[in-house]
């Protein structure tokens, strides 16, 4: 397994809409394994393929608590079928926006249809942290970042900070 370099804001790749996956094969499973390795190394609880520069509709998640055994999950072509009217607020962060956190309000529960790593269709009814994480990562597949859910002023400040940091690294 290989730890992949993460795409960091303001890289425009993060705004790409990811393409559906046509078939689940050994290469895709290897990518899923690499993404999990990258996510654990970061460390994080979710990672979309676009965050490692692959514009395909796949994400990995592990919301197991510290001290628990890892429970990695692979979601291929995930699609939110239903969102609850009830809302919840979580402090979110993102591996592509390191060391920045903000409270984001999202539906408290979602029903998601997806293919698992064996290509079998699955459905999950998620609430709590898993629901938030799924929505955050599915947003990535659509070119949306969690900072798009905060005030324009805060979002512009974050983008400016990361743009400045990227320019200073390029020099």
């Amino acid at each position: 397994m290989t730890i992949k370099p993460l795409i960091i804001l303001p890289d425009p790749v993060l705004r790409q809409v990811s393409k559906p996956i046509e078939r689940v094969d050994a290469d895709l499973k290897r990518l899923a394994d690499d993404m999990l390795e990258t996510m654990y190394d970061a460390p994080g609880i979710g990672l979309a393929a676009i965050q490692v520069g692959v514009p395909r509709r796949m994400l990995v998640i592990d919301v197991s608590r510290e001290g628990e055994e890892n429970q990695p999950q692979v979601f291929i072509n995930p699609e939110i079928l239903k969102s609850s009217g009830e809302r919840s607020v979580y402090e979110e962060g993102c591996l592509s926006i390191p060391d920045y956190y903000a409270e984001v309000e999202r539906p408290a529960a979602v029903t998601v249809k997806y293919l698992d790593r064996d290509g079998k269709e699955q459905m999950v009814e998620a609430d709590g942290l898993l629901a938030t994480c799924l929505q955050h990562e599915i947003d990535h597949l659509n070119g949306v970042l969690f900072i798009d859910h905060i005030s324009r002023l805060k979002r512009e400040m974050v983008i400016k900070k990361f743009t400045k940091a990227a320019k200073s690294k390029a020099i």
Side-chain angles (χ1 to χ4, degrees):
M1 291 190 278
T2 308
I3 294 172
K4 303 261 191 202
L6 292 166
I7 306 292
I8 304 295
L9 188 75
D11 194 315
V13 166
L14 293 171
R15 295 300 187 174
Q16 286 182 19
V17 175
S18 297
K19 305 255 184 289
I21 290 169
E22 302 296 324
R23 72 175 189 278
V24 177
D25 57 18
D27 286 342
L28 192 72
K29 290 179 182 181
R30 197 168 16 265
L31 174 61
D33 291 341
D34 290 349
M35 287 172 58
L36 283 163
E37 188 80 8
T38 302
M39 178 188 77
Y40 289 131
D41 181 69
I45 61 170
L47 185 69
I50 193 69
Q51 291 178 272
V52 292
V54 180
R56 312 275 309 277
R57 295 189 78 79
M58 181 168 67
L59 56 95
V60 296
I61 289 177
D62 187 342
V63 293
S64 59
R65 301 209 187 300
E66 207 170 309
E68 290 179 351
E69 194 173 318
N70 286 345
Q71 297 169 3
Q73 299 177 73
V74 177
F75 296 82
I76 299 166
N77 295 333
E79 183 184 340
I80 296 174
L81 300 179
K82 193 168 70 182
S83 299
S84 69
E86 187 185 335
R87 314 283 288 172
S88 67
V89 176
Y90 271 91
E91 184 177 69
E92 294 186 27
C94 181
L95 297 178
S96 292
I97 309 173
D99 303 320
Y100 180 78
Y101 302 89
E103 289 194 341
V104 177
E105 183 179 299
R106 297 182 185 269
V110 291
T111 302
V112 176
K113 178 178 87 170
Y114 65 99
L115 300 177
D116 64 18
R117 75 178 279 128
D118 296 318
K120 292 186 175 55
E121 193 168 292
Q122 304 286 341
M123 187 105 59
V124 64
E125 291 185 14
D127 59 9
L129 183 58
L130 180 58
T132 296
C133 194
L134 277 165
Q135 292 172 82
H136 176 113
E137 299 306 334
I138 290 170
D139 271 358
H140 272 300
L141 303 180
N142 297 319
V144 176
L145 301 174
F146 87 97
I147 58 172
D148 296 336
H149 296 283
I150 62 176
S151 75
R152 197 179 92 194
L153 180 64
K154 284 183 184 172
R155 179 174 52 253
E156 287 172 356
M157 285 172 42
V158 172
I159 292 170
K160 187 187 251 179
K161 175 185 168 190
F162 278 85
T163 302
K164 187 176 175 184
K167 281 181 183 163
S168 70
K169 282 181 190 162
I171 296 170

